[in-house]
Amino acid sequence: MGNESILTFPSLPLPYYLESGMTIYKPGEYHPARRNLGVYDLIVVKKGCLFIGEEESTWALAEGDMLILLPDAYHYAVQECSEETIFYWLHFDTAKNFIQSYDLISHKIQLPRQTTIPVPEQAYALFESLQMLTIEPRSSAFWGEQSVFIELLQQLDPSRTEQSHARVRTVAEQVESYIKTHYREPINNTSLSEHLHYHFNYLTRCMKESYGVTPTEYLLQYRLDQAKRLLLTTPWSISSIAEHVGFTYPPYFTRRFSARFGMSPLQYRKQFN
């Protein structure tokens, strides 16, 4: 899950919305104590100040502040509200036991545990949209709720707003784009640096921060993903597929494919055909 100030979620499958609402506390009222809620509790304060704690940590959340409480922790009021306090809350969860059968390379969603939202009015508007969807038929409201929730996550992702994170993400996406375009060609550290005009160590750092893999690891995974698709959609031989996706030696391709997917290319093809 990353360090204590940043929560990191795999993007496949996406975190999903459960419910949300708005709470108003008058002076003297306070947030109830709860243990093991079982879902993530995202709080955004619109007015006043909410005094809340989780285990050993405490916060005084003012207007525009956001906090995510953890599913398996103890939450409690630090003190009563001293003024009228209005906050939005949202419960969401992740597929904890999901097995990623296709083993795809995916982006990771990063959310701060606690932060001041740069443009809180945008977050307030999204919460209001969620409130409006509560009166819609469930068959249509479900899709709208998930869509608004994902938009809210995008706003809270620090890599989209902080200049240093944005620069790292941009470089990583340049590496990704180059690999996807040229994966059938020989690619090494030197050629990648020459084409993208960055030192390979910097390219590696950007890829690790954004995707959790080095450029070399990404290239290998992408080639194997393309080979897997060709095994199911073409009658080509194993050696032809290996050569097509950029492997010089078919035995090496078979060895890396087996290591990643737990079966040989031929076994994989027979499994689905």
Side-chain angles (χ1 to χ4, degrees), residues 193-234:
S193 296
E194 289 177 350
H195 282 93
L196 297 179
H197 309 293
Y198 290 105
H199 192 280
F200 186 75
N201 289 345
Y202 180 65
L203 297 178
T204 298
R205 182 170 73 82
C206 292
M207 287 293 287
K208 288 287 288 184
E209 288 188 20
S210 299
Y211 297 111
V213 294
T214 66
T216 302
E217 291 167 341
Y218 190 98
L219 173 62
L220 174 62
Q221 292 182 33
Y222 190 75
R223 282 173 169 169
L224 292 174
D225 285 337
Q226 299 310 302
K228 186 169 61 173
R229 178 181 59 81
L230 293 172
L231 286 166
L232 300 182
T233 59
T234 73

Side-chain angles (χ1 to χ4, degrees), residues 152-217:
L152 179 63
L153 293 187
Q154 287 180 309
Q155 287 194 11
L156 298 177
D157 186 343
S159 68
R160 296 173 56 86
T161 55
E162 296 180 12
Q163 185 176 358
S164 60
H165 284 286
R167 183 168 57 252
V168 167
R169 176 65 53 78
T170 298
V171 172
E173 289 175 347
Q174 290 175 356
V175 176
E176 177 187 28
S177 178
Y178 182 84
I179 288 175
K180 287 183 174 181
T181 304
H182 301 278
Y183 72 95
R184 296 178 58 191
E185 306 167 12
I187 298 178
N188 55 40
N189 300 359
T190 302
S191 64
L192 202 57
S193 296
E194 289 177 350
H195 282 93
L196 297 179
H197 309 293
Y198 290 105
H199 192 280
F200 186 75
N201 289 345
Y202 180 65
L203 297 178
T204 298
R205 182 170 73 82
C206 292
M207 287 293 287
K208 288 287 288 184
E209 288 188 20
S210 299
Y211 297 111
V213 294
T214 66
T216 302
E217 291 167 341

Side-chain angles (χ1 to χ4, degrees), residues 39-64:
V39 296
Y40 293 93
D41 189 1
L42 190 157
I43 294 173
V44 175
V45 175
K46 184 178 183 180
K47 178 184 177 183
C49 188
L50 182 66
F51 302 94
I52 192 168
E54 179 185 270
E55 304 295 351
E56 302 301 321
S57 301
T58 61
W59 299 274
L61 304 177
E63 180 179 335

Side-chain angles (χ1 to χ4, degrees), residues 3-60:
N3 62 44
E4 62 181 12
S5 63
I6 296 289
L7 299 176
T8 302
F9 303 92
S11 60
L12 294 176
L14 290 167
Y16 55 90
Y17 169 90
L18 293 170
E19 60 180 342
S20 63
M22 184 180 73
T23 298
I24 301 176
Y25 287 151
K26 297 178 180 179
E29 296 182 327
Y30 53 88
H31 194 277
R34 294 179 297 197
R35 187 184 301 276
N36 297 326
L37 183 61
V39 296
Y40 293 93
D41 189 1
L42 190 157
I43 294 173
V44 175
V45 175
K46 184 178 183 180
K47 178 184 177 183
C49 188
L50 182 66
F51 302 94
I52 192 168
E54 179 185 270
E55 304 295 351
E56 302 301 321
S57 301
T58 61
W59 299 274

Side-chain angles (χ1 to χ4, degrees), residues 103 220 224 251-265 267:
D103 198 23
L220 174 62
L224 292 174
Y252 177 71
F253 161 69
T254 297
R255 186 164 64 252
R256 297 312 299 255
F257 190 99
S258 301
R260 185 176 179 207
F261 300 117
M263 64 184 75
S264 70
Q267 290 171 327

Side-chain angles (χ1 to χ4, degrees), residues 109-153:
I109 299 170
Q110 293 190 325
L111 300 176
R113 286 268 346 251
Q114 194 279 318
T115 190
T116 298
I117 303 174
V119 188
E121 291 76 15
Q122 294 179 358
Y124 302 157
L126 292 175
F127 274 101
E128 291 298 331
S129 295
L130 288 170
Q131 296 308 296
M132 294 297 295
L133 286 167
T134 60
I135 63 176
E136 296 290 329
R138 291 305 305 163
S139 58
S140 58
F142 171 82
W143 297 107
E145 289 169 344
Q146 301 304 325
S147 177
V148 172
F149 172 58
I150 294 303
E151 186 176 349
L152 179 63
L153 293 187

